[in-house]
Amino acid sequence: MSIPKQPAPAAAEPLLKVEGLVKHFPITKGLLRRQAGAVQAVDGLDFEVRAGETLGVVGESGCGKSTMGRLITRLLEPTAGTIAFDGRDISHLGVAGMRPMRRDIQMIFQDPYSSLNPRHTVGTIVGAPFRLQGITPEGGVKKEVQRLLELVGLNPEHYNRYPHEFSGGQRQRIGIARALALKPRLVVADEPVSALDVSIQAQVVNLLDDLQDELGLTYVIIAHDLSVIRHVSDRIAVMYLGKIVELTDRSSLYAAPLHPYTKALLSAVPVPDPRRRARRERILLTGDVPSPISPPPGCRFHTRCWKATEVCKQQEPPLTALLPGHRVACHHPEEAPTEAVREGAPA
Amino acid sequence: MTTAPTAGGAPTSFLEVRDLRIHFPTDDGLVKSVDGLSFRLEKGRTLGIVGESGSGKSVTSLGIMGLHTVGQYGRRKARISGEIWLDGKELMSADPDEVRRLRGREMAMIFQDPLSAMHPYFTVGAQIVEAYRVHHDVDKKTARTRAVELLDRVGIPQPDRRVDDYPHQFSGGMRQRAMIAMALVNNPELLIADEPTTALDVTVQAQILDLIRDLQKEFGSAVIVITHDLGVVAELADDILVMYGGRCVERGPAEQVFHAPQHPYTWGLLGSMPRIDREQTERLIPVKGSPPSLINVPDGCAFNPRCPYADLPKGGITRTERPELRPVPDAGDGRPHLTACHLPQQDRTRIWNEEIAPKL
């Protein structure tokens, strides 16, 4: 049966497409500030974010996940590579060129204490995007801000309060309200819950979830906590030293990780169940993450990998699709998925 | 047990804390950081203290170490009462000099942030040597050998060379290892680890947790682990103490606290965290509201404004009546499992089995 070719459904079209993204921060030396080296924070990323999905980005500190977030929101200028938002190349747009794009791409920051100006009231903070973009929402800024405060679960009467009058979780909600003010299409959240207490974390995670359903948002959520990432993401990218080592949907990543690093990372997560303490199998990685100033040659993980061979030291493995929709950068990926089936843990 | 601070003489346990209260006077009012906390700990066992920020867990640990009594310029001193018995000695009424001799030798602490807990101006080795020579009358060379030996034991590569490095030359995980070496240099019998892995990445966290566990086996010390991460306590602790608003709301063997928790706050904590070892859940079950201010702790049970079961009938008990820690009947293997909740036992069992456990 021949189906007439139709434009692909909106859900499959990438909203954000990143190719060969590189960011090197120069290290200068001496009086003439000659470049002595570079921190290779992000070193060649290829991925896409589909409209309506949540892409989780996970990795240890120093793996470049936050730099990646700042690059796709264009708070940083990429050294090389392209970032295309909705088909338009935004990789080298200037401040003025980015301004209209800022309506569509917003960011939620990690630290709810330093990301809100202590001298501004909540009303000013959440209303700032309207002022900067020269937009007057229907019914006026104040009304819209109060609607947003209500949307994120804050009392609209708190319009005139200052950030210090709120708790950490409430401040994070203010940050979320500000990010949502202009009805963005893509929200990049950098460690949105890591500064919050456990019981508050759950509130914010649920809020992000609800807002996505209500407003049809696309998220890129950056976090180091594998349990949180599993809860919020549809697809997950695992980063190590500036590179994506594994990129796949949530269930295959957690059920059958193919990259040794992902496997080690998952096995290291402390599980809140004392009964599992004795019988869990843990892969202990030795040492620390190497410095991104002089990353190891070949596969960047080979210094800590128990499967590393000669080829790993010399050749960098490309990120290839080993299974449909499951991309891995490894010379010796884990065997067939059936073998790596997750230890069953009935509740 | 919680209300009689003067009752009984020297206890049989290695560490026993009785009715510990630590209050700080401030301009806004009295901050009751710890308000009547009692527990005991035997040698070779690990106690996990869990709670959110501001629940009083770190203040408790500093209180045991006797680090609160010195107020800056003699003002704003913490008001402390209660008893702390360590190996048959009462520390609260003891001479500060005597406590100082114990601190570091009998009891040592691993701090959360090794970068700020170590002096940036001195080498790692010098700091470990100092800690050793304060308590042992040895020459520098012997102390240095001891420092190298310990750095080696905690897994620092090339310890004879790294002993002369400064803290900034170490990575985060290595600094935490060096901190542990420093704490262990005098073979302390009580080791308090305050958020030992919070600043670390998961892979390094797993290394440090393994190290603490191995060292405890080797030295047979009593360990208190203070953390907000239920995963970390489940890895380490034999017993768990859940703190809320400066008081203990639940205490018992780890197995019991995770598999038959009794207090609604413990249920809330378990429901709030996404878990990697369970099937994916659609939604987390958060605890509504936020932790109370310790200046204005709610009357009665401090958790009552956030408790979803506060309105269930409890046989004439009003909201302003404070629940005391009471043992849970038939709590398994004989070790006490206590909880401070007004809910009748059968209601608690029913709610946990029918409403909470299936959703986790």
Side-chain angles (χ1 to χ4, degrees):
Chain A
M1 198 168 87
S2 72
I3 300 164
K5 200 161 187 195
Q6 282 179 350
E13 213 167 85
L15 182 65
L16 181 81
K17 196 167 166 58
V18 173
E19 275 172 346
L21 189 65
V22 175
K23 178 71 191 177
H24 289 182
F25 294 98
I27 305 167
T28 53
K29 208 175 175 182
L31 190 65
L32 299 172
R33 304 188 60 75
R34 268 175 316 204
Q35 189 172 335
V39 178
Q40 301 171 20
V42 165
D43 206 21
L45 299 184
D46 296 279
F47 64 91
E48 49 198 43
V49 185
R50 301 170 197 143
E53 77 165 354
T54 302
L55 177 74
V57 180
V58 71
E60 294 181 279
S61 48
C63 73
K65 51 191 197 303
S66 289
T67 306
M68 186 278 297
R70 281 163 193 262
L71 285 169
I72 57 179
T73 45
R74 281 303 323 281
L75 298 175
L76 287 173
E77 175 90 13
T79 311
T82 56
I83 305 162
F85 180 78
D86 205 12
R88 187 172 165 211
D89 186 357
I90 59 164
S91 17
H92 296 288
L93 285 182
V95 176
M98 265 315 281
R99 186 153 295 144
M101 305 301 292
R102 299 253 176 248
R103 291 184 199 183
D104 289 332
I105 309 176
Q106 284 286 330
M107 187 148 185
I108 298 169
F109 295 92
Q110 170 173 13
D111 183 356
Y113 292 84
S114 58
S115 60
L116 302 177
N117 188 334
R119 289 168 187 269
H120 285 179
T121 62
V122 171
T124 319
I125 291 169
V126 179
F130 298 115
R131 238 179 18 256
L132 292 170
Q133 293 280 348
I135 297 174
T136 315
E138 216 177 309
V141 172
K142 182 170 179 182
K143 202 168 162 213
E144 181 64 12
V145 168
Q146 290 186 328
R147 188 190 69 82
L148 284 163
L149 290 179
E150 208 165 355
L151 182 72
V152 297
L154 292 171
N155 188 343
E157 325 231 302
H158 293 169
Y159 184 83
N160 278 322
R161 294 206 182 172
Y162 286 89
H164 73 261
E165 296 174 73
F166 293 90
S167 68
Q170 288 174 318
R171 282 160 177 251
Q172 198 57 296
R173 288 170 191 265
I174 298 170
I176 294 173
R178 174 175 62 183
L180 297 181
L182 298 168
K183 303 196 174 68
R185 292 159 69 193
L186 176 69
V187 175
V188 178
D190 188 359
E191 301 272 11
V193 296
S194 66
L196 308 174
D197 269 319
V198 192
S199 69
I200 310 297
Q201 248 182 33
Q203 294 173 1
V204 173
V205 165
N206 281 349
L207 173 68
L208 288 173
D209 216 16
D210 293 342
L211 292 171
Q212 183 168 39
D213 289 348
E214 251 168 73
L215 310 172
L217 298 170
T218 305
Y219 286 136
V220 173
I221 295 185
I222 299 164
H224 69 279
D225 186 327
L226 285 143
S227 328
V228 169
I229 279 287
R230 171 171 178 245
H231 188 87
V232 297
S233 316
D234 298 313
R235 285 193 311 141
I236 295 162
V238 182
M239 284 184 72
Y240 186 77
L241 268 184
K243 298 237 179 233
I244 293 181
V245 295
E246 188 158 5
L247 175 62
T248 183
D249 60 279
R250 169 174 70 194
S251 48
S252 10
L253 186 88
Y254 283 84
L258 295 185
H259 198 284
Y261 176 63
T262 316
K263 216 177 161 201
L265 210 55
L266 287 175
S267 79
V269 177
V271 169
D273 184 350
R275 281 182 195 166
R276 280 169 53 96
R277 182 159 36 175
R279 61 186 167 87
R280 64 186 301 205
E281 188 190 333
R282 198 147 65 186
I283 305 162
L284 269 191
L285 290 181
T286 47
D288 294 300
V289 185
S291 156
I293 297 172
S294 50
C299 173
R300 295 189 165 189
F301 185 55
H302 84 253
T303 51
R304 298 171 82 194
C305 184
W306 64 98
K307 290 182 151 186
T309 54
E310 212 40 51
V311 64
C312 302
K313 291 180 193 161
Q314 279 149 20
Q315 262 179 40
E316 193 174 316
L319 188 66
T320 45
L322 286 187
L323 296 170
H326 195 149
R327 289 196 276 166
V328 187
C330 183
H331 290 302
H332 310 288
E334 296 293 319
E335 296 299 317
T338 44
E339 200 185 285
V341 164
R342 191 165 55 99
E343 249 183 279
Chain B
M1 181 167 167
T2 47
T3 46
T6 49
T12 48
S13 308
F14 173 65
L15 172 75
E16 180 155 349
V17 173
R18 289 182 188 161
D19 199 39
L20 181 69
R21 284 166 206 271
I22 303 174
H23 297 174
F24 300 94
T26 67
D27 289 342
D28 295 328
L30 192 63
V31 178
K32 296 182 176 174
S33 286
V34 180
D35 200 25
L37 186 71
S38 306
F39 61 86
R40 28 178 109 169
L41 179 63
E42 300 297 342
K43 261 192 214 176
R45 313 279 302 170
T46 305
L47 173 75
I49 300 184
V50 193
E52 294 181 277
S53 42
S55 60
K57 49 193 199 309
S58 289
V59 173
T60 306
S61 65
L62 294 174
I64 297 170
M65 294 287 289
L67 293 172
H68 280 310
T69 39
V70 188
Q72 207 181 4
Y73 312 118
R75 290 182 293 134
R76 291 283 165 78
K77 270 191 174 183
R79 292 185 198 153
I80 310 180
S81 68
E83 290 171 57
I84 298 166
W85 290 86
L86 181 76
D87 209 7
K89 287 181 284 278
E90 211 283 304
L91 302 183
M92 212 76 110
S93 56
D95 186 42
D97 281 339
E98 198 178 324
V99 176
R100 194 172 61 223
R101 276 194 293 276
L102 291 176
R103 193 184 304 133
R105 199 179 65 204
E106 290 265 309
M107 49 184 184
M109 190 154 173
I110 301 169
F111 294 92
Q112 172 173 4
D113 180 2
L115 192 56
S116 55
M118 288 186 129
H119 201 299
Y121 197 78
F122 296 100
T123 62
V124 172
Q127 297 181 53
I128 300 177
V129 164
E130 184 192 2
Y132 191 58
R133 292 189 75 210
V134 163
H135 295 288
H136 293 86
D137 186 20
V138 291
D139 58 41
K140 282 186 181 161
K141 212 174 151 199
T142 323
R144 191 186 147 91
T145 319
R146 170 86 181 145
V148 173
E149 180 191 313
L150 267 157
L151 286 177
D152 188 34
R153 178 62 198 87
V154 297
I156 303 265
Q158 299 176 301
D160 48 336
R161 204 172 309 162
R162 300 310 295 256
V163 71
D164 293 322
D165 278 357
Y166 289 90
H168 74 267
Q169 292 168 299
F170 278 32
S171 72
M174 277 165 60
R175 274 198 289 266
Q176 194 59 279
R177 285 167 190 271
M179 276 275 304
I180 294 175
M182 199 188 296
L184 291 176
V185 74
N186 295 309
N187 284 337
E189 293 184 306
L190 172 67
L191 184 65
I192 302 176
D194 187 359
E195 303 267 11
T197 59
T198 306
L200 306 175
D201 281 317
V202 265
T203 54
V204 182
Q205 166 171 290
Q207 296 168 9
I208 298 289
L209 293 181
D210 268 22
L211 176 66
I212 294 179
R213 201 167 23 220
D214 290 351
L215 291 171
Q216 181 184 25
K217 250 183 232 150
E218 196 178 319
F219 294 95
S221 29
V223 176
I224 299 179
V225 184
I226 293 168
T227 177
H228 67 280
D229 188 335
L230 286 168
V232 170
V233 280
E235 294 278 333
L236 287 178
D238 301 307
D239 294 284
I240 289 174
L241 191 156
V242 183
M243 282 191 82
Y244 187 79
R247 293 177 67 88
C248 168
V249 294
E250 180 159 5
R251 189 175 97 211
E255 163 90 15
Q256 288 280 323
V257 173
F258 277 99
H259 291 283
Q262 296 292 327
H263 199 279
Y265 177 62
T266 319
W267 300 339
L269 283 181
L270 288 168
S272 316
M273 52 185 317
R275 297 181 61 157
I276 212 160
D277 60 327
R278 296 284 161 87
E279 285 308 308
Q280 181 79 28
T281 48
E282 261 314 293
R283 283 180 78 76
L284 301 173
I285 320 158
V287 186
K288 65 179 182 188
S290 44
S293 146
L294 291 170
I295 296 178
N296 245 326
V297 183
D299 282 340
C301 175
F303 188 58
N304 90 65
R306 300 177 77 192
C307 182
Y309 308 103
D311 292 328
L312 290 187
K314 299 178 195 69
I317 295 167
T318 58
R319 274 196 183 224
T320 48
E321 200 168 316
R322 186 148 72 186
E324 293 302 332
L325 270 180
R326 268 187 298 268
V328 176
D330 49 75
D333 65 352
R335 278 189 284 161
H337 182 186
L338 306 147
T339 186
C341 180
H342 285 313
L343 279 178
Q345 179 62 40
Q346 60 269 32
D347 282 1
R348 260 185 275 144
T349 317
R350 182 184 54 78
I351 293 169
W352 165 251
N353 285 332
E354 290 171 16
E355 294 178 26
I356 313 287
K359 285 192 205 149
L360 290 183

